[in-house]
Amino acid sequence: MKTQILPAQQDNTAAIAAEIIKNNGLVAIPTETVYGLGANGLNEAAVAKIFAAKGRPQDNPLILHVADASDIEKFCHSIPQSAYQLAEAFWPGPLTMVLPARDTVPKCTTAGLPTVAVRCPDNAVTRQIIRLAGVPIAAPSANLSGKPSTTTAQHVLHDHDGRIDAIVDGGPCRVGVESTIVDLTEERPRLLRPGGITPEQLISVLGDLVIDKAVVGQINPNEVVKAPGMKYRHYAPQSEIVIVTGSREKAAAYIRKHITQQDRVLCFEEELELYKGCNPLSYGKESDASTLSAGLFAALRTLDDPAISKIYARCPEGGGVAYAVQNRLKKAAAFHIINGEEEG
Ligand code: TXA
Ligand code: MG
């Protein structure tokens, strides 16, 4: 199959993409977080194609993308007031809510769970495609399973050329890490995945938030977790990643002492000087975490090279969007973290 590239600004793009969705084909869609691999979320056969194209485990459910907040009533029941408050505050935007699913949502979309994840993305052409198709679009991140997420149309083409019908090219994604996921099906709201909507922002609306253990630590593959996707090794290039913590100088001293010819350094722009001669790659500014979230996955893709043996990475600290960057980088590193202050 020939994969068509449809520029987002082209007049007939939304109509062409919607037609493919209606015919149960696969279209990669731009969103403010990452590119999604979209299909008709109400059709079993269309959704099955997503799992096949990505090589995604069947027990990992998909997010349903809607064009308007009011659409969630078609796919969810027992919707708490907090869901409407969050939609009012943050939609369209990088927030996904887990709610009880109606029978209209097929089992392959929810991976058999009684709940469904819903999100209204902040991208005009994508919402237009959903409206014209007349169905919600189920879409995981468009990367091959396990690989760093796709933040440009070129990344999607790299992973899926000839395997999907079309890619809508909306340019590089603004946020760069996947949406925040909050589960509203229990007594207390629970953060399942940090993202562009920060824990602080959620608490400002909800007044309360439990942080799921899958957000902060390594999960045993046999453990039952709330967001099935969070237990898999993720976002990772082929080579091992080691996060080195500590002050700029101490971390650089540790890395410079241990680095070999086959290794690379993934650091902040402010640190490039400290790694002269080590071929460092910066993914953004430590002083502006939104540049780190926007640059992380593209940098991990650049470093996805069999010739590289180990990647020494610097990770931002603190809350806000930096919290989501930490989560992705720690998962990519399988929580392998060295303290540059203590190690010689
Ligand atoms: O920003 C995003 O969310 C992107 C764009 C394309 O919208 N999508 C995305 O989808 O990141 P994906 O499939 O890569 O990640 C979805 C995560 C997975 O960890 C999955 O297990 C979890 O959401 N999830 C989906 N449905 C769920 C449910 N009913 N309950 C708990 N977790 C769910
Ligand atoms: Mg993903």
Side-chain angles (χ1 to χ4, degrees):
M1 138 191 334
K2 170 104 182 86
T3 300
Q4 299 183 62
I5 307 285
L6 306 168
Q9 62 278 18
Q10 190 175 288
D11 285 346
N12 56 358
T13 283
I16 297 170
E19 205 50 38
I20 299 170
I21 297 288
K22 277 196 216 168
N23 292 324
N24 299 327
L26 292 181
V27 182
I29 47 169
T31 83
E32 76 283 31
T33 58
V34 300
Y35 277 74
L37 185 55
N40 176 352
L42 301 184
N43 183 281
E44 297 264 358
V47 171
K49 288 185 193 168
I50 298 178
F51 283 88
K54 267 192 72 114
R56 183 176 176 101
Q58 295 288 337
D59 70 346
N60 195 1
L62 305 178
I63 296 174
L64 266 192
H65 295 72
V66 297
D68 295 285
S70 58
D71 290 343
I72 63 176
E73 289 166 13
K74 297 182 209 154
F75 314 115
C76 308
H77 67 85
S78 314
I79 302 171
Q81 204 46 42
S82 56
Y84 292 101
Q85 291 164 342
L86 288 175
E88 175 69 30
F90 304 120
W91 276 5
L95 176 70
T96 295
M97 298 190 241
V98 174
L99 292 164
R102 283 192 191 278
D103 293 342
T104 45
V105 186
K107 290 277 172 249
C108 57
T109 300
T110 63
L113 294 175
T115 57
V116 62
V118 285
R119 152 163 139 82
C120 179
D122 184 15
N123 182 289
V125 74
T126 290
R127 287 202 308 279
Q128 184 62 5
I129 297 167
I130 299 169
R131 281 194 199 101
L132 294 176
V135 290
I137 294 185
S141 51
N143 53 287
L144 291 172
S145 211
K147 286 291 166 195
S149 296
T150 37
T151 53
T152 66
Q154 288 68 37
H155 296 162
V156 182
L157 192 66
H158 175 271
D159 284 14
H160 295 291
D161 193 9
R163 293 146 50 94
I164 63 177
D165 298 285
I167 300 170
V168 177
D169 186 353
C173 300
R174 173 173 60 83
V175 179
V177 294
E178 305 85 344
S179 61
T180 302
I181 305 180
V182 62
D183 180 3
L184 299 175
T185 62
E186 290 179 5
E187 209 165 304
R188 296 178 64 193
R190 179 182 289 268
L191 180 71
L192 301 185
R193 181 175 73 182
I197 301 299
T198 65
E200 296 84 349
Q201 285 175 298
L202 291 176
I203 291 169
S204 75
V205 171
L206 299 168
D208 182 29
L209 188 68
V210 179
I211 309 285
D212 195 75
K213 66 178 177 183
V215 171
V216 285
Q218 181 83 298
I219 296 292
N220 177 326
N222 301 319
E223 228 171 306
V224 176
V225 289
K226 277 257 144 187
M230 296 303 275
K231 74 184 173 199
Y232 296 107
R233 182 171 189 242
H234 244 110
Y235 319 118
Q238 314 174 40
S239 44
E240 177 194 7
I241 301 182
V242 179
I243 292 173
V244 183
T245 62
S247 69
R248 276 184 192 156
E249 291 68 27
K250 289 271 174 57
Y254 175 88
I255 292 169
R256 294 193 71 99
K257 183 171 164 193
H258 292 88
I259 197 165
T260 73
Q261 283 284 323
Q262 289 75 43
D263 301 338
R264 294 289 304 267
V265 182
L266 177 65
C267 66
F268 309 128
E269 201 177 304
E270 293 95 329
E271 299 179 324
L272 285 170
E273 278 287 305
L274 293 170
Y275 296 101
K276 268 204 181 130
C278 300
N279 196 10
L281 177 68
S282 141
Y283 65 110
K285 291 195 179 75
E286 187 179 23
S287 59
D288 180 358
S290 68
T291 64
L292 297 173
S293 71
L296 178 65
F297 285 130
L300 290 178
R301 278 183 173 257
T302 303
L303 298 177
D304 189 12
D305 175 347
I308 298 173
S309 150
K310 193 185 274 190
I311 299 164
Y312 291 99
R314 294 282 288 154
C315 184
E317 286 175 5
V321 176
Y323 191 63
V325 175
Q326 276 163 44
N327 170 267
R328 302 308 192 275
L329 199 48
K330 285 180 180 172
K331 282 199 185 287
F335 291 87
H336 187 179
I337 301 166
I338 287 175
N339 186 342
E341 301 276 337
E342 286 171 10
E343 308 290 325

